[in-house]
Amino acid sequence: MNESEPPTEADRALKARQRAMWASGDYPAVAAEVFPNLGEVLIEACGIHAGQRVLDVGAGSGNVAIPAALTGAHVVASDLTPELFDAGRQIASARGVELEWREADAESLPFADGEFDVVTSCVGVMFAPHHQDSADEIVRVCAPNGTIGLISWTPTGFIGRMFAAMRPYGRQLPPGAQPPPLWGEEAHVRDLLGDRVTDVVVRREVVRVDRFDGPREFRDYFKANFGPTLAVYKAIGAEGTADAADKVAALDAELADLARQHDVGEGSFAMDWEYLLLTARKRA
């Protein structure tokens, strides 16, 4: 377990809010419908294969863990929000594969030092608030010479810009917490991992998102299904102020406009969402 200071009441409250946030909406649908192949990208980059012990951190409903298990690897899918596991178990059963589902905080993983040959996270660990704690845990549970593989949305890409647009409307981060898109900055992740890793390979890639008919359809889908977006709109409503409706309308317009700015489709609506793909080997 992480040997840092025990969690404060504020930390526990923050984690409870995060769990509730990701349990709201329908994140399994978002992962399956909006960026369904992102997990396979990470699996290929890490070279996951049969017989390996694999831990996926912030696994959600298993967009990395399930295809990793299909390679014959022994996979543990861990997440702070076990409410997402039911959907994952159904997907795994339909695909005829078994893996372990484990409730776990990325900042204090309940696994032994060096327990896994590969440790991955696909737009998952980036949402844990204390980045260094999470990075320390990822390195700790990875075996010497093992592989670490991470996909994170970048600050300058669509999702990073969406979080920046939502930030003024939602609950502010408590002291010590860091914004998720920082994991999409190469220098930041290199600093987090430090000299404990070697053979670092970093690429900026995009995933083409063409599920939506237009910017407003994207916005409405995320308002209904994506936990962080739901949380921001809920925070506006909880203010109980006279201008709440104006704030909702303003955020509606900002999100639709942001999607419109990222339209790269020719004759149909499509966006390219940028992410950082990093792989590394833990030093022996």
Side-chain angles (χ1 to χ4, degrees), residues 179-232:
L182 276 179
W183 277 88
E185 291 187 353
E186 177 181 349
H188 181 67
V189 185
R190 284 182 178 271
D191 285 345
L192 292 175
L193 299 176
D195 62 2
R196 298 171 296 181
V197 300
T198 186
D199 299 340
V200 178
V201 177
V202 180
R203 304 199 308 265
R204 284 182 179 267
E205 304 282 359
V206 296
V207 57
R208 174 63 57 93
V209 175
D210 55 7
R211 181 200 183 280
F212 306 103
D213 292 333
R216 288 180 296 179
E217 288 76 14
F218 156 76
R219 178 201 63 207
D220 293 344
Y221 180 92
F222 263 53
K223 283 179 67 173
N225 294 290
F226 188 59
T229 309
L230 271 77
V232 170

Short mmCIF file of all heavy atoms in Angstrom, two decimals, residues 179-232:
data_model
loop_
_atom_site.label_atom_id
_atom_site.label_comp_id
_atom_site.label_asym_id
_atom_site.label_seq_id
_atom_site.Cartn_x
_atom_site.Cartn_y
_atom_site.Cartn_z
N PRO A 179 -5.34 19.05 -12.12
CA PRO A 179 -6.31 18.82 -13.20
C PRO A 179 -5.93 17.60 -14.04
O PRO A 179 -4.74 17.38 -14.34
CB PRO A 179 -6.25 20.10 -14.02
CG PRO A 179 -4.95 20.74 -13.67
CD PRO A 179 -4.64 20.34 -12.26
N PRO A 180 -6.90 16.80 -14.44
CA PRO A 180 -6.62 15.56 -15.18
C PRO A 180 -5.78 15.73 -16.44
O PRO A 180 -4.87 14.92 -16.69
CB PRO A 180 -8.02 15.03 -15.51
CG PRO A 180 -8.91 15.60 -14.46
CD PRO A 180 -8.34 16.94 -14.15
N PRO A 181 -6.02 16.76 -17.29
CA PRO A 181 -5.28 16.81 -18.55
C PRO A 181 -3.78 17.00 -18.42
O PRO A 181 -3.06 16.86 -19.42
CB PRO A 181 -5.93 18.00 -19.28
CG PRO A 181 -7.31 18.10 -18.71
CD PRO A 181 -7.12 17.76 -17.26
N LEU A 182 -3.28 17.30 -17.21
CA LEU A 182 -1.82 17.38 -17.05
C LEU A 182 -1.15 16.06 -17.41
O LEU A 182 0.00 16.05 -17.86
CB LEU A 182 -1.47 17.76 -15.60
CG LEU A 182 -1.49 19.24 -15.24
CD1 LEU A 182 -1.14 19.42 -13.77
CD2 LEU A 182 -0.53 20.02 -16.12
N TRP A 183 -1.86 14.94 -17.24
CA TRP A 183 -1.31 13.64 -17.62
C TRP A 183 -1.07 13.56 -19.13
O TRP A 183 -0.37 12.66 -19.60
CB TRP A 183 -2.23 12.51 -17.20
CG TRP A 183 -2.08 12.10 -15.77
CD1 TRP A 183 -2.74 12.62 -14.69
CD2 TRP A 183 -1.24 11.07 -15.24
NE1 TRP A 183 -2.36 11.99 -13.54
CE2 TRP A 183 -1.44 11.02 -13.84
CE3 TRP A 183 -0.34 10.17 -15.82
CZ2 TRP A 183 -0.77 10.13 -13.01
CZ3 TRP A 183 0.33 9.27 -14.99
CH2 TRP A 183 0.11 9.25 -13.61
N GLY A 184 -1.64 14.48 -19.88
CA GLY A 184 -1.42 14.51 -21.32
C GLY A 184 -0.24 15.36 -21.73
O GLY A 184 0.01 15.54 -22.93
N GLU A 185 0.51 15.89 -20.76
CA GLU A 185 1.73 16.63 -21.04
C GLU A 185 2.93 15.73 -20.80
O GLU A 185 3.12 15.21 -19.69
CB GLU A 185 1.83 17.88 -20.15
CG GLU A 185 0.82 18.96 -20.48
CD GLU A 185 1.06 20.23 -19.70
OE1 GLU A 185 1.94 20.23 -18.80
OE2 GLU A 185 0.37 21.22 -19.98
N GLU A 186 3.75 15.54 -21.81
CA GLU A 186 4.87 14.62 -21.71
C GLU A 186 5.80 14.97 -20.55
O GLU A 186 6.19 14.08 -19.78
CB GLU A 186 5.66 14.63 -23.02
CG GLU A 186 6.91 13.74 -22.97
CD GLU A 186 7.71 13.75 -24.25
OE1 GLU A 186 7.20 14.29 -25.27
OE2 GLU A 186 8.84 13.24 -24.25
N ALA A 187 6.15 16.24 -20.41
CA ALA A 187 7.08 16.63 -19.35
C ALA A 187 6.53 16.29 -17.97
O ALA A 187 7.27 15.85 -17.08
CB ALA A 187 7.39 18.12 -19.45
N HIS A 188 5.22 16.48 -17.80
CA HIS A 188 4.60 16.19 -16.51
C HIS A 188 4.69 14.70 -16.18
O HIS A 188 5.07 14.32 -15.06
CB HIS A 188 3.14 16.63 -16.54
CG HIS A 188 2.39 16.41 -15.26
ND1 HIS A 188 2.67 17.09 -14.11
CD2 HIS A 188 1.35 15.57 -14.97
CE1 HIS A 188 1.85 16.70 -13.15
NE2 HIS A 188 1.04 15.78 -13.64
N VAL A 189 4.38 13.84 -17.13
CA VAL A 189 4.41 12.40 -16.88
C VAL A 189 5.84 11.92 -16.66
O VAL A 189 6.10 11.07 -15.81
CB VAL A 189 3.73 11.62 -18.01
CG1 VAL A 189 3.65 10.14 -17.67
CG2 VAL A 189 2.32 12.16 -18.26
N ARG A 190 6.77 12.46 -17.43
CA ARG A 190 8.17 12.08 -17.22
C ARG A 190 8.62 12.47 -15.81
O ARG A 190 9.34 11.71 -15.15
CB ARG A 190 9.06 12.75 -18.26
CG ARG A 190 9.00 12.10 -19.65
CD ARG A 190 9.96 12.79 -20.60
NE ARG A 190 9.99 12.20 -21.93
CZ ARG A 190 10.79 11.21 -22.31
NH1 ARG A 190 11.65 10.68 -21.42
NH2 ARG A 190 10.77 10.73 -23.53
N ASP A 191 8.20 13.64 -15.33
CA ASP A 191 8.55 14.05 -13.97
C ASP A 191 7.92 13.12 -12.94
O ASP A 191 8.55 12.77 -11.93
CB ASP A 191 8.09 15.48 -13.72
CG ASP A 191 8.98 16.52 -14.40
OD1 ASP A 191 10.10 16.16 -14.82
OD2 ASP A 191 8.54 17.68 -14.51
N LEU A 192 6.68 12.70 -13.18
CA LEU A 192 6.00 11.81 -12.24
C LEU A 192 6.72 10.47 -12.12
O LEU A 192 6.86 9.92 -11.03
CB LEU A 192 4.56 11.58 -12.69
CG LEU A 192 3.60 12.77 -12.63
CD1 LEU A 192 2.25 12.37 -13.22
CD2 LEU A 192 3.42 13.28 -11.21
N LEU A 193 7.14 9.93 -13.25
CA LEU A 193 7.78 8.61 -13.26
C LEU A 193 9.26 8.69 -12.89
O LEU A 193 9.81 7.75 -12.31
CB LEU A 193 7.62 7.97 -14.64
CG LEU A 193 6.18 7.73 -15.10
CD1 LEU A 193 6.16 7.18 -16.52
CD2 LEU A 193 5.45 6.78 -14.16
N GLY A 194 9.90 9.79 -13.23
CA GLY A 194 11.29 10.02 -12.85
C GLY A 194 12.25 9.01 -13.44
O GLY A 194 12.02 8.43 -14.50
N ASP A 195 13.34 8.78 -12.71
CA ASP A 195 14.38 7.87 -13.20
C ASP A 195 14.11 6.42 -12.84
O ASP A 195 14.96 5.56 -13.02
CB ASP A 195 15.76 8.29 -12.69
CG ASP A 195 15.86 8.25 -11.17
OD1 ASP A 195 14.87 7.86 -10.50
OD2 ASP A 195 16.92 8.64 -10.64
N ARG A 196 12.89 6.15 -12.38
CA ARG A 196 12.52 4.77 -12.06
C ARG A 196 12.17 3.98 -13.31
O ARG A 196 11.97 2.76 -13.25
CB ARG A 196 11.34 4.76 -11.09
CG ARG A 196 11.66 5.42 -9.75
CD ARG A 196 10.43 5.59 -8.90
NE ARG A 196 9.44 6.50 -9.50
CZ ARG A 196 8.29 6.83 -8.93
NH1 ARG A 196 7.97 6.30 -7.76
NH2 ARG A 196 7.45 7.67 -9.53
N VAL A 197 12.06 4.67 -14.45
CA VAL A 197 11.73 4.00 -15.70
C VAL A 197 12.76 4.34 -16.76
O VAL A 197 13.50 5.33 -16.65
CB VAL A 197 10.32 4.38 -16.21
CG1 VAL A 197 9.26 4.00 -15.18
CG2 VAL A 197 10.25 5.88 -16.54
N THR A 198 12.78 3.52 -17.79
CA THR A 198 13.68 3.75 -18.92
C THR A 198 12.94 3.37 -20.20
O THR A 198 11.78 2.95 -20.15
CB THR A 198 14.96 2.92 -18.76
OG1 THR A 198 15.88 3.26 -19.81
CG2 THR A 198 14.68 1.43 -18.77
N ASP A 199 13.59 3.52 -21.32
CA ASP A 199 13.00 3.17 -22.62
C ASP A 199 11.64 3.84 -22.81
O ASP A 199 10.67 3.21 -23.25
CB ASP A 199 12.86 1.65 -22.76
CG ASP A 199 14.19 0.93 -22.70
OD1 ASP A 199 15.23 1.59 -22.93
OD2 ASP A 199 14.19 -0.28 -22.42
N VAL A 200 11.56 5.11 -22.47
CA VAL A 200 10.30 5.83 -22.59
C VAL A 200 10.01 6.17 -24.06
O VAL A 200 10.88 6.70 -24.76
CB VAL A 200 10.33 7.13 -21.75
CG1 VAL A 200 9.02 7.91 -21.92
CG2 VAL A 200 10.59 6.81 -20.28
N VAL A 201 8.83 5.83 -24.51
CA VAL A 201 8.39 6.15 -25.87
C VAL A 201 7.10 6.95 -25.76
O VAL A 201 6.16 6.53 -25.08
CB VAL A 201 8.15 4.88 -26.71
CG1 VAL A 201 7.62 5.24 -28.10
CG2 VAL A 201 9.43 4.05 -26.82
N VAL A 202 7.06 8.10 -26.41
CA VAL A 202 5.91 9.00 -26.30
C VAL A 202 5.44 9.37 -27.71
O VAL A 202 6.24 9.71 -28.57
CB VAL A 202 6.26 10.28 -25.52
CG1 VAL A 202 5.05 11.20 -25.42
CG2 VAL A 202 6.78 9.94 -24.14
N ARG A 203 4.12 9.28 -27.91
CA ARG A 203 3.53 9.70 -29.18
C ARG A 203 2.25 10.48 -28.90
O ARG A 203 1.51 10.15 -27.99
CB ARG A 203 3.17 8.50 -30.06
CG ARG A 203 4.30 7.56 -30.36
CD ARG A 203 3.99 6.69 -31.59
NE ARG A 203 2.71 6.02 -31.52
CZ ARG A 203 2.54 4.76 -31.09
NH1 ARG A 203 3.59 4.08 -30.64
NH2 ARG A 203 1.34 4.20 -31.09
N ARG A 204 2.02 11.49 -29.71
CA ARG A 204 0.73 12.18 -29.71
C ARG A 204 -0.08 11.61 -30.86
O ARG A 204 0.38 11.60 -32.01
CB ARG A 204 0.91 13.68 -29.88
CG ARG A 204 1.39 14.38 -28.61
CD ARG A 204 1.50 15.88 -28.83
NE ARG A 204 1.93 16.54 -27.61
CZ ARG A 204 1.11 17.05 -26.69
NH1 ARG A 204 -0.20 16.98 -26.91
NH2 ARG A 204 1.57 17.63 -25.61
N GLU A 205 -1.26 11.12 -30.53
CA GLU A 205 -2.12 10.50 -31.53
C GLU A 205 -3.52 11.11 -31.43
O GLU A 205 -3.81 11.87 -30.49
CB GLU A 205 -2.20 8.98 -31.31
CG GLU A 205 -0.85 8.28 -31.30
CD GLU A 205 -0.30 8.05 -32.69
OE1 GLU A 205 -1.00 8.43 -33.66
OE2 GLU A 205 0.81 7.52 -32.81
N VAL A 206 -4.37 10.78 -32.37
CA VAL A 206 -5.77 11.22 -32.30
C VAL A 206 -6.67 10.02 -32.51
O VAL A 206 -6.31 9.06 -33.21
CB VAL A 206 -6.11 12.31 -33.33
CG1 VAL A 206 -5.31 13.58 -33.05
CG2 VAL A 206 -5.89 11.83 -34.75
N VAL A 207 -7.84 10.09 -31.91
CA VAL A 207 -8.89 9.11 -32.16
C VAL A 207 -10.02 9.84 -32.89
O VAL A 207 -10.44 10.93 -32.48
CB VAL A 207 -9.39 8.45 -30.86
CG1 VAL A 207 -9.89 9.46 -29.85
CG2 VAL A 207 -10.46 7.41 -31.17
N ARG A 208 -10.46 9.29 -34.00
CA ARG A 208 -11.52 9.91 -34.78
C ARG A 208 -12.88 9.57 -34.14
O ARG A 208 -13.21 8.40 -33.95
CB ARG A 208 -11.47 9.40 -36.23
CG ARG A 208 -12.59 9.85 -37.14
CD ARG A 208 -12.63 11.36 -37.36
NE ARG A 208 -11.40 11.92 -37.90
CZ ARG A 208 -11.15 12.10 -39.20
NH1 ARG A 208 -12.05 11.74 -40.11
NH2 ARG A 208 -10.01 12.66 -39.59
N VAL A 209 -13.63 10.59 -33.80
CA VAL A 209 -14.94 10.45 -33.18
C VAL A 209 -15.98 10.90 -34.20
O VAL A 209 -16.09 12.09 -34.51
CB VAL A 209 -15.05 11.28 -31.90
CG1 VAL A 209 -16.46 11.21 -31.32
CG2 VAL A 209 -14.02 10.80 -30.87
N ASP A 210 -16.73 9.94 -34.74
CA ASP A 210 -17.70 10.26 -35.79
C ASP A 210 -19.08 9.70 -35.49
O ASP A 210 -19.88 9.45 -36.38
CB ASP A 210 -17.21 9.76 -37.15
CG ASP A 210 -16.90 8.28 -37.15
OD1 ASP A 210 -17.19 7.59 -36.14
OD2 ASP A 210 -16.37 7.78 -38.17
N ARG A 211 -19.37 9.51 -34.20
CA ARG A 211 -20.64 8.92 -33.79
C ARG A 211 -21.80 9.90 -33.88
O ARG A 211 -22.95 9.50 -34.02
CB ARG A 211 -20.52 8.40 -32.36
CG ARG A 211 -21.79 7.73 -31.85
CD ARG A 211 -21.83 7.67 -30.34
NE ARG A 211 -23.01 6.96 -29.88
CZ ARG A 211 -24.23 7.51 -29.79
NH1 ARG A 211 -24.41 8.77 -30.17
NH2 ARG A 211 -25.25 6.80 -29.35
N PHE A 212 -21.52 11.21 -33.79
CA PHE A 212 -22.57 12.20 -33.59
C PHE A 212 -22.94 12.89 -34.90
O PHE A 212 -22.11 13.09 -35.79
CB PHE A 212 -22.11 13.24 -32.56
CG PHE A 212 -21.67 12.61 -31.27
CD1 PHE A 212 -20.33 12.49 -30.96
CD2 PHE A 212 -22.61 12.12 -30.38
CE1 PHE A 212 -19.92 11.90 -29.77
CE2 PHE A 212 -22.21 11.53 -29.19
CZ PHE A 212 -20.87 11.41 -28.88
N ASP A 213 -24.21 13.29 -34.99
CA ASP A 213 -24.69 13.98 -36.19
C ASP A 213 -24.22 15.43 -36.25
O ASP A 213 -24.18 16.02 -37.33
CB ASP A 213 -26.21 13.93 -36.24
CG ASP A 213 -26.74 12.52 -36.47
OD1 ASP A 213 -26.02 11.72 -37.07
OD2 ASP A 213 -27.87 12.24 -36.02
N GLY A 214 -23.90 16.00 -35.11
CA GLY A 214 -23.47 17.39 -35.09
C GLY A 214 -23.06 17.83 -33.70
O GLY A 214 -23.13 17.06 -32.74
N PRO A 215 -22.62 19.09 -33.54
CA PRO A 215 -22.14 19.58 -32.25
C PRO A 215 -23.17 19.49 -31.13
O PRO A 215 -22.84 19.12 -30.00
CB PRO A 215 -21.77 21.04 -32.55
CG PRO A 215 -21.46 21.05 -34.00
CD PRO A 215 -22.41 20.07 -34.62
N ARG A 216 -24.43 19.83 -31.42
CA ARG A 216 -25.45 19.79 -30.36
C ARG A 216 -25.75 18.36 -29.92
O ARG A 216 -26.00 18.10 -28.74
CB ARG A 216 -26.71 20.49 -30.83
CG ARG A 216 -26.58 22.01 -30.90
CD ARG A 216 -27.86 22.67 -31.38
NE ARG A 216 -28.19 22.28 -32.73
CZ ARG A 216 -29.27 22.70 -33.39
NH1 ARG A 216 -30.13 23.50 -32.80
NH2 ARG A 216 -29.51 22.31 -34.63
N GLU A 217 -25.71 17.43 -30.89
CA GLU A 217 -25.93 16.02 -30.54
C GLU A 217 -24.82 15.51 -29.64
O GLU A 217 -25.07 14.78 -28.68
CB GLU A 217 -26.04 15.19 -31.80
CG GLU A 217 -27.32 15.40 -32.59
CD GLU A 217 -27.34 16.71 -33.36
OE1 GLU A 217 -26.26 17.32 -33.52
OE2 GLU A 217 -28.42 17.10 -33.82
N PHE A 218 -23.58 15.92 -29.94
CA PHE A 218 -22.47 15.56 -29.05
C PHE A 218 -22.70 16.10 -27.66
O PHE A 218 -22.60 15.38 -26.66
CB PHE A 218 -21.14 16.10 -29.59
CG PHE A 218 -20.11 16.28 -28.51
CD1 PHE A 218 -19.45 15.18 -27.98
CD2 PHE A 218 -19.88 17.53 -27.95
CE1 PHE A 218 -18.56 15.33 -26.93
CE2 PHE A 218 -18.99 17.69 -26.91
CZ PHE A 218 -18.33 16.58 -26.40
N ARG A 219 -23.02 17.40 -27.58
CA ARG A 219 -23.20 18.03 -26.27
C ARG A 219 -24.30 17.34 -25.47
O ARG A 219 -24.11 17.02 -24.29
CB ARG A 219 -23.56 19.51 -26.47
CG ARG A 219 -23.83 20.26 -25.17
CD ARG A 219 -24.66 21.50 -25.46
NE ARG A 219 -25.98 21.16 -26.00
CZ ARG A 219 -26.67 21.98 -26.80
NH1 ARG A 219 -26.18 23.15 -27.17
NH2 ARG A 219 -27.88 21.60 -27.23
N ASP A 220 -25.42 17.08 -26.09
CA ASP A 220 -26.53 16.46 -25.37
C ASP A 220 -26.20 15.04 -24.92
O ASP A 220 -26.63 14.61 -23.85
CB ASP A 220 -27.78 16.47 -26.24
CG ASP A 220 -28.30 17.88 -26.50
OD1 ASP A 220 -27.89 18.80 -25.76
OD2 ASP A 220 -29.10 18.06 -27.44
N TYR A 221 -25.44 14.32 -25.74
CA TYR A 221 -25.03 12.96 -25.36
C TYR A 221 -24.13 13.01 -24.14
O TYR A 221 -24.30 12.22 -23.19
CB TYR A 221 -24.30 12.31 -26.54
CG TYR A 221 -23.82 10.90 -26.28
CD1 TYR A 221 -24.60 9.80 -26.61
CD2 TYR A 221 -22.56 10.66 -25.72
CE1 TYR A 221 -24.14 8.50 -26.39
CE2 TYR A 221 -22.10 9.37 -25.49
CZ TYR A 221 -22.90 8.30 -25.83
OH TYR A 221 -22.44 7.02 -25.60
N PHE A 222 -23.18 13.94 -24.11
CA PHE A 222 -22.27 14.03 -22.97
C PHE A 222 -22.98 14.56 -21.73
O PHE A 222 -22.65 14.16 -20.61
CB PHE A 222 -21.04 14.86 -23.34
CG PHE A 222 -19.87 14.01 -23.75
CD1 PHE A 222 -20.01 13.06 -24.74
CD2 PHE A 222 -18.64 14.14 -23.12
CE1 PHE A 222 -18.95 12.26 -25.12
CE2 PHE A 222 -17.57 13.33 -23.49
CZ PHE A 222 -17.73 12.39 -24.48
N LYS A 223 -23.96 15.43 -21.91
CA LYS A 223 -24.75 15.89 -20.77
C LYS A 223 -25.52 14.74 -20.14
O LYS A 223 -25.76 14.72 -18.93
CB LYS A 223 -25.74 16.97 -21.21
CG LYS A 223 -25.14 18.33 -21.42
CD LYS A 223 -26.20 19.33 -21.89
CE LYS A 223 -27.24 19.63 -20.84
NZ LYS A 223 -28.16 20.72 -21.26
N ALA A 224 -25.88 13.75 -20.93
CA ALA A 224 -26.68 12.64 -20.43
C ALA A 224 -25.84 11.47 -19.95
O ALA A 224 -26.31 10.68 -19.12
CB ALA A 224 -27.63 12.16 -21.53
N ASN A 225 -24.59 11.34 -20.45
CA ASN A 225 -23.86 10.09 -20.23
C ASN A 225 -22.48 10.21 -19.59
O ASN A 225 -22.00 9.23 -19.02
CB ASN A 225 -23.70 9.36 -21.57
CG ASN A 225 -25.01 8.88 -22.14
OD1 ASN A 225 -25.64 7.97 -21.62
ND2 ASN A 225 -25.46 9.53 -23.22
N PHE A 226 -21.82 11.35 -19.69
CA PHE A 226 -20.44 11.48 -19.24
C PHE A 226 -20.42 12.12 -17.86
O PHE A 226 -20.79 13.27 -17.68
CB PHE A 226 -19.64 12.31 -20.24
CG PHE A 226 -18.16 12.35 -19.99
CD1 PHE A 226 -17.41 11.18 -19.96
CD2 PHE A 226 -17.50 13.56 -19.81
CE1 PHE A 226 -16.04 11.22 -19.73
CE2 PHE A 226 -16.14 13.60 -19.59
CZ PHE A 226 -15.41 12.43 -19.55
N GLY A 227 -19.96 11.35 -16.87
CA GLY A 227 -20.02 11.77 -15.48
C GLY A 227 -19.52 13.17 -15.19
O GLY A 227 -20.20 13.95 -14.51
N PRO A 228 -18.30 13.55 -15.65
CA PRO A 228 -17.82 14.90 -15.34
C PRO A 228 -18.71 16.01 -15.89
O PRO A 228 -18.87 17.06 -15.26
CB PRO A 228 -16.44 14.92 -16.02
CG PRO A 228 -15.99 13.50 -15.99
CD PRO A 228 -17.25 12.70 -16.24
N THR A 229 -19.31 15.79 -17.07
CA THR A 229 -20.20 16.80 -17.63
C THR A 229 -21.49 16.88 -16.82
O THR A 229 -21.98 17.97 -16.51
CB THR A 229 -20.51 16.47 -19.10
OG1 THR A 229 -19.30 16.25 -19.81
CG2 THR A 229 -21.26 17.62 -19.76
N LEU A 230 -22.03 15.72 -16.45
CA LEU A 230 -23.21 15.71 -15.59
C LEU A 230 -22.94 16.46 -14.30
O LEU A 230 -23.79 17.22 -13.81
CB LEU A 230 -23.64 14.28 -15.27
CG LEU A 230 -24.60 13.57 -16.22
CD1 LEU A 230 -23.88 13.10 -17.47
CD2 LEU A 230 -25.24 12.38 -15.52
N ALA A 231 -21.75 16.24 -13.71
CA ALA A 231 -21.42 16.84 -12.43
C ALA A 231 -21.39 18.37 -12.52
O ALA A 231 -21.82 19.06 -11.59
CB ALA A 231 -20.07 16.32 -11.94
N VAL A 232 -20.89 18.89 -13.63
CA VAL A 232 -20.82 20.34 -13.79
C VAL A 232 -22.23 20.93 -13.88
O VAL A 232 -22.55 21.92 -13.21
CB VAL A 232 -19.98 20.71 -15.02
CG1 VAL A 232 -20.11 22.20 -15.32
CG2 VAL A 232 -18.51 20.37 -14.78
#
